[in-house]
Amino acid sequence: MQFTYYGHACFALETMGKKLLFDPFITGNPLAKHIDIDAIAADYILVSHGHGDHVADLVNIAKRTGAMVIGVYEIVGWVQQQGVEKTHPMNFGPYNFEFGKLRFTPAAHSSALPDGSNGGNPGGFLIDNDEGNFYYSGDTSLCMDLQLIPHYAKLNVAALPIGGNFTMDVDDAVMAAQMIQCKKIIGVHYDTFPAIIIDKETAREKFMAAGYELLLPAIGETISL
Ligand code: NI
Ligand code: MN
C-alpha cells in the first residue's frame, strides 16, 4: 500500500491497483497550496463525514476523475444532487469492493454538509485486503467504539486525528492506538487551523514513550505502508 498525504485529513491510498482518495479538502488549505489538485487521480473517493474540511473538493474531483464516491447514505445523496453519477451509499457495516473489504465504522463527532444539508452519521473506514489493512478513524474523539476495531483486523497502520479541539489530541490518539492495537499511526487533522496547531516533535516523543510510532508525512509526500 502507498499512502500520499495531501494535508489536513486528505490523503490517497493506493492498494490492489486502485487509487482511493479520502476526505478531499485541498484548495481551502493554506498549507497545501503547492498541491496541484487537477493532477490527483482517483478511482474511489471515500468521505468520512460532511464538514467542509473533508468535502470542499469532493464534487469537483469526483466529476473530473469519474471516481466512485463512497460514504454514508446522506452524503452520497448530496453528491448525486450535484451531478456525481458513480456512488455507493453505506452506513455502519461492511461491503466487499474490488479493492477489498471496506467497513464504515462509527466516529464520535457531528456531521452537516456545507449548505446545511444533513450529513448523516460521521464515521471512519477500515480496509482489509490481500495487501494488508488500513484504518482511518475520521474525525472522532476518543470513544469506546475504537475497541471494536481490533476484533475486525490485526492492524498494521492507522490514520488518526491528533490536533485536538475538534477531535482527539496527541494524548488521546496514543490511547486510541492502544485501543485499536496498532503500533504505527499516521497523524492527520493538525496544524491546518490555529486551534489545532501542535508541536510535532513532542507528539512523536509521546507516541514513542508509549511504544508506538507516529508518522507525520509532509504534504505531498508518499510513503509505503
Ligand atoms: Ni469534522
Ligand atoms: Mn474535520
Side-chain angles (χ1 to χ4, degrees):
M1 294 186 183
Q2 298 269 100
F3 176 99
T4 302
Y5 189 47
Y6 292 118
H8 200 53
C10 180
F11 54 86
L13 191 71
E14 203 171 334
T15 185
M16 304 297 283
K18 300 295 170 191
K19 291 193 168 84
L20 281 55
L21 180 68
F22 291 73
D23 286 356
F25 165 71
I26 295 159
T27 52
N29 181 353
L31 304 179
K33 293 236 180 290
H34 58 293
I35 300 296
D36 178 6
I37 189 172
D38 291 323
I40 296 174
D43 298 304
Y44 295 89
I45 303 176
L46 284 69
V47 190
S48 69
H49 66 295
H51 290 155
D53 59 323
H54 299 257
V55 303
D57 297 310
L58 169 59
V59 171
N60 185 15
I61 296 177
K63 285 185 176 173
R64 178 180 55 77
T65 59
M68 175 182 280
V69 174
I70 301 173
V72 77
Y73 183 83
E74 288 82 356
I75 292 179
V76 162
W78 182 76
V79 299
Q80 282 171 345
Q81 281 171 13
Q82 295 172 77
V84 175
E85 287 169 5
K86 281 172 71 179
T87 58
H88 183 103
M90 296 183 76
N91 212 314
F92 300 131
Y95 185 80
N96 286 311
F97 289 89
E98 59 181 346
F99 57 80
K101 189 175 194 175
L102 179 72
R103 182 179 290 272
F104 188 56
T105 60
H109 195 64
S110 60
S111 184
L113 289 150
D115 63 4
S117 300
N118 178 11
N121 284 314
F125 294 100
L126 174 61
I127 295 167
D128 205 345
N129 63 28
D130 290 342
E131 289 183 356
N133 57 52
F134 176 84
Y135 172 61
Y136 165 49
S137 69
D139 283 11
T140 187
S141 68
L142 194 64
C143 62
M144 297 302 278
D145 292 80
L146 295 169
Q147 292 190 352
L148 279 176
I149 301 298
H151 293 276
Y152 297 131
K154 190 171 162 34
L155 288 179
N156 307 318
V157 60
L160 300 176
I162 56 171
N165 192 66
F166 303 108
T167 67
M168 296 189 276
D169 64 6
V170 170
D171 295 309
D172 291 338
V174 170
M175 287 173 68
Q178 291 166 353
M179 289 166 82
I180 64 175
Q181 296 174 24
C182 183
K183 288 285 179 195
K184 192 186 285 187
I185 302 297
I186 301 169
V188 299
H189 214 280
Y190 68 94
D191 279 3
T192 318
F193 314 117
I196 60 173
I197 291 173
I198 66 160
D199 185 303
K200 291 195 274 189
E201 209 37 60
T202 304
R204 286 194 193 91
E205 284 165 9
K206 284 182 172 179
F207 271 81
M208 208 181 300
Y212 298 88
E213 183 184 8
L214 178 66
L215 304 177
L216 298 173
I219 297 173
E221 186 180 353
T222 298
I223 57 173
S224 290
L225 302 179

